[in-house]
Amino acid sequence: MKLYGAIDLHSNNNVTVLIDEQDQVVYQKRLPNDLSLIAQQLSGYQDELQGIVVESTYNWYWLVDGLMDQGHRVHLANTAAIQQYEGLKYTDDHSDARWLAHILRLGVLPQGYIYPKEERAVRDLLRKRGQMVRQRTANLLSLQNLITRNTGSSIRSNRIKTLDAEQVDDLLPNPDLALAVKANLAMINCANGQIEILERTVTERIKLRAAFSFLKTVPGIGQILALTIMLETAEIQRFPTVGDYASYCRCVGEPEAKQRQEERQWQYQERQQGFGLGVCRSGQLRDPIQCEDQKLLSEKEGQEPWCVGA
């Protein structure tokens, strides 16, 4: 007898459901998020299981990896592309899990990509680097606005980066204002240090694969940017067409949740600016996301854009 499984995953528990070829429930239970317990509950059905669907939630890594290590055929559900049956009078976690198993049985499950766990952590280091760059930019802008509000004069970002405690006290005699600026400077310096550590670690952990070697021939793409594009892309064969890849990069319009769209734009599309937009006015080739603070500050100060065509 063929069985089809699905797991409706939550932060600390899940609903696991198994159905047969007639959509009859064979097993259904809410379980704590304990991998050993889940594996033990599924072990008696493993020979008949044709596959298990796991929701693509924020916390799926541990479950998908663990089930795959146990020999299960795991499918990651693209929840954004799944529509519930409109005839249902009510839905809950159990019905959601049954629906996932049902569309798996029918062979119409929209699936997400299961990123190889061997490189996933390194990819996430580069995403963490992007987060650090955004936080550094936010502190630079906050510091600049504070000085402009209280002195009536603007201060360039290059000077901000060289300020020390004594210079801050001279610039802002009010001790409370000076303390606020010093707090921003401390955050900027901390972010700089962490960004440097992350970049060094990534370059030590992984090297650019041959298939992506041509990335560094594109003006504006250096080592870190090339690694970022390579790791975000993973297996290029998973994109059937150029349009699919452009859509993944958020370079084409499509209806999508705003928060997720903005997140992907920061993590990927900003790095993609190297394709034609990564040449500085000085002619130097830089990582666009590394200089995002310069771009924002240049716009605020009424200067020319940081890069050609920006």
Side-chain angles (χ1 to χ4, degrees), residues 129-141:
R129 172 185 174 272
Q131 181 189 26
M132 294 293 103
V133 171
R134 295 195 296 274
Q135 292 178 352
R136 181 179 63 184
T137 301
N139 278 278
L140 275 168
L141 293 172

Side-chain angles (χ1 to χ4, degrees), residues 124-176:
D124 289 349
L125 282 181
L126 286 173
R127 291 183 174 183
K128 180 60 66 176
R129 172 185 174 272
Q131 181 189 26
M132 294 293 103
V133 171
R134 295 195 296 274
Q135 292 178 352
R136 181 179 63 184
T137 301
N139 278 278
L140 275 168
L141 293 172
S142 175
L143 190 155
Q144 186 181 53
N145 289 337
L146 191 152
I147 292 177
T148 301
R149 286 197 307 270
N150 290 280
T151 67
S153 59
S154 61
I155 181 170
R156 298 293 178 88
S157 60
N158 287 336
R159 188 187 174 196
I160 289 176
K161 296 173 183 178
T162 62
L163 285 177
D164 56 28
E166 184 177 346
Q167 291 172 326
V168 171
D169 291 333
D170 294 337
L171 187 62
L172 293 168
N174 186 301
D176 294 331

Side-chain angles (χ1 to χ4, degrees), residues 66-260:
L67 291 176
M68 292 178 69
D69 290 341
Q70 294 287 332
H72 289 283
R73 183 181 300 175
V74 182
H75 305 267
L76 189 65
N78 180 4
T79 53
I82 295 176
Q83 293 184 350
Q84 271 282 17
Y85 174 53
E86 296 180 355
L88 293 176
K89 295 183 178 179
Y90 68 93
T91 62
D92 56 15
D93 296 338
H94 294 79
S95 64
D96 288 344
R98 290 195 299 270
W99 180 254
L100 290 174
H102 172 70
I103 59 179
L104 173 65
R105 182 184 69 81
L106 295 179
V108 294
L109 174 73
Q111 297 191 41
Y113 178 67
I114 300 177
Y115 198 98
K117 66 177 182 179
E118 294 77 16
E119 294 183 350
R120 191 190 301 144
V122 181
R123 180 204 62 182
D124 289 349
L125 282 181
L126 286 173
R127 291 183 174 183
K128 180 60 66 176
R129 172 185 174 272
Q131 181 189 26
M132 294 293 103
V133 171
R134 295 195 296 274
Q135 292 178 352
R136 181 179 63 184
T137 301
N139 278 278
L140 275 168
L141 293 172
S142 175
L143 190 155
Q144 186 181 53
N145 289 337
L146 191 152
I147 292 177
T148 301
R149 286 197 307 270
N150 290 280
T151 67
S153 59
S154 61
I155 181 170
R156 298 293 178 88
S157 60
N158 287 336
R159 188 187 174 196
I160 289 176
K161 296 173 183 178
T162 62
L163 285 177
D164 56 28
E166 184 177 346
Q167 291 172 326
V168 171
D169 291 333
D170 294 337
L171 187 62
L172 293 168
N174 186 301
D176 294 331
L177 295 177
L179 179 60
V181 169
K182 292 174 184 177
N184 281 129
L185 284 175
M187 295 296 293
I188 292 169
N189 292 332
C190 180
N192 286 334
Q194 294 303 310
I195 290 169
E196 182 179 350
I197 292 172
L198 291 171
E199 290 179 349
R200 182 171 63 250
T201 301
V202 168
T203 54
E204 292 173 355
R205 293 279 194 276
I206 196 165
K207 302 300 180 183
L208 198 65
R209 294 192 290 268
F212 293 86
S213 60
F214 291 107
L215 283 172
K216 293 182 67 175
T217 67
V218 178
I221 297 183
Q223 180 71 11
I224 295 297
L225 179 54
L227 287 173
T228 299
I229 295 173
M230 181 188 76
L231 290 173
E232 290 289 351
T233 301
E235 300 175 358
I236 192 67
Q237 294 82 4
R238 68 189 177 104
F239 302 101
T241 67
V242 173
D244 291 302
Y245 185 64
S247 176
Y248 174 79
C249 300
R250 301 301 182 259
C251 294
V252 295
E254 60 178 16
E256 186 175 6
K258 183 177 181 181
Q259 182 178 358
R260 184 173 178 181

